[in-house]
């Protein structure tokens, strides 16, 4: 009698099934690892929480006379010979005001310095975000009204909040001739 051999398909054997299953698992694991490394699947990219990160440093800021955001009874370059300075737009006794807005990356302590000229005392008050921070500053005469008499003077120390701040210079009468302001960080 002739002997017939049965050919066994590898799918029908337990070892064949286990080997095929192990191959599929290895292939899927490799695919997931590659897609995860590429950022396609898995956890999202690490997000930095800005509230817990190191605060941004306070930086010096400068403003020219033309950088103001709002004003009352003043303008820039109104009178020949004085240059680009903030001056009152009338010689009458009326309130004068100029406001500068600035952004602070974090709460920062600054020294406010103002470049101005004044032949006679014209003291001003300084407000930060509607709070009075200095009274009767810039009261020292500089020797005249012209550009050659412009001098830097420290006006106040202020604490700016994080975000938008409003720095306002006010006088109930005519202004000194203001050419610029500077906020210099104090401390670190």
């Amino acid at each position: 009698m002739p002997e017939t051999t049965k050919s066994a398909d590898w799918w029908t054997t337990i070892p064949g099934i286990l080997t095929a299953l192990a191959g599929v698992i290895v292939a899927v694991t490799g695919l997931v690892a590659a897609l995860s490394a590429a950022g396609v699947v898995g956890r999202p990219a690490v997000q930095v929480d800005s509230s817990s990160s190191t605060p941004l440093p306070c930086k010096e800021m400068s403003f020219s006379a033309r950088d103001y955001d709002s004003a009352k009874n003043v303008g820039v370059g109104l009178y020949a010979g004085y240059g680009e300075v903030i001056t009152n737009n009338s010689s009458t006794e009326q309130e004068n005001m100029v406001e500068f807005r600035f952004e602070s990356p974090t709460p920062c302590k600054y020294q406010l310095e103002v470049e101005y000229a004044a032949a006679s005392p014209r003291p001003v008050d300084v407000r930060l975000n509607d709070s009075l921070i200095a009274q009767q500053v810039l009261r020292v005469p500089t020797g005249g009204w012209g550009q050659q008499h412009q001098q830097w003077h420290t006006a106040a120390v202020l604490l700016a909040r994080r975000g938008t701040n409003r720095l306002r210079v006010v006088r109930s009468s005519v202004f000194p001739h203001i050419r610029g302001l500077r906020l210099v960080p104090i401390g670190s």
Side-chain angles (χ1 to χ4, degrees):
M1 280 184 101
E3 248 184 68
T4 59
T5 54
K6 275 174 128 186
S7 81
D9 190 8
W10 69 272
W11 284 104
T12 60
T13 66
I14 297 275
I17 292 173
L18 291 176
T19 302
L21 187 58
V24 168
I25 290 172
V26 168
V28 169
T29 302
L31 179 64
V32 168
L35 292 174
S36 179
V40 176
V41 296
R43 283 185 275 168
V46 175
Q47 298 291 324
V48 176
D49 180 7
S50 63
S51 65
S52 66
S53 63
T54 304
L56 298 172
C58 303
K59 295 189 178 183
E60 184 172 315
M61 292 179 260
S62 296
F63 308 92
S64 73
R66 290 209 179 269
D67 291 335
Y68 69 81
D69 292 287
S70 63
K72 180 178 180 184
N73 300 320
V74 298
V76 176
L78 298 175
Y79 303 104
Y82 295 132
E84 293 286 300
V85 296
I86 299 169
T87 58
N88 46 290
N89 61 12
S90 167
S91 61
T92 61
E93 299 290 317
Q94 57 185 341
E95 183 182 57
N96 286 248
M97 180 277 296
V98 65
E99 181 176 277
F100 296 84
R101 291 190 187 105
F102 65 94
E103 295 292 322
S104 184
T106 123
C108 294
K109 189 174 184 181
Y110 291 103
Q111 177 173 291
L112 170 63
E113 299 173 354
V114 180
E115 186 180 24
Y116 75 98
S120 60
R122 290 189 178 176
V124 298
D125 293 343
V126 179
R127 296 183 165 277
L128 180 66
N129 303 321
D130 298 323
S131 295
L132 181 65
I133 60 167
Q135 288 182 293
Q136 302 293 300
V137 296
L138 310 184
R139 65 181 170 264
V140 176
T142 63
W145 300 111
Q147 295 179 55
Q148 71 275 18
H149 298 106
Q150 290 285 330
Q151 295 177 9
W152 285 99
H153 288 264
T154 299
V157 172
L158 58 97
L159 181 60
R161 65 183 176 212
R162 180 179 181 205
T164 303
N165 291 269
R166 293 182 343 271
L167 182 66
R168 183 177 283 191
V169 179
V170 182
R171 186 161 195 270
S172 61
S173 183
V174 291
F175 252 25
H177 295 187
I178 299 173
R179 181 161 51 193
L181 288 83
R182 186 165 54 203
L183 293 173
V184 181
I186 297 174
S188 48

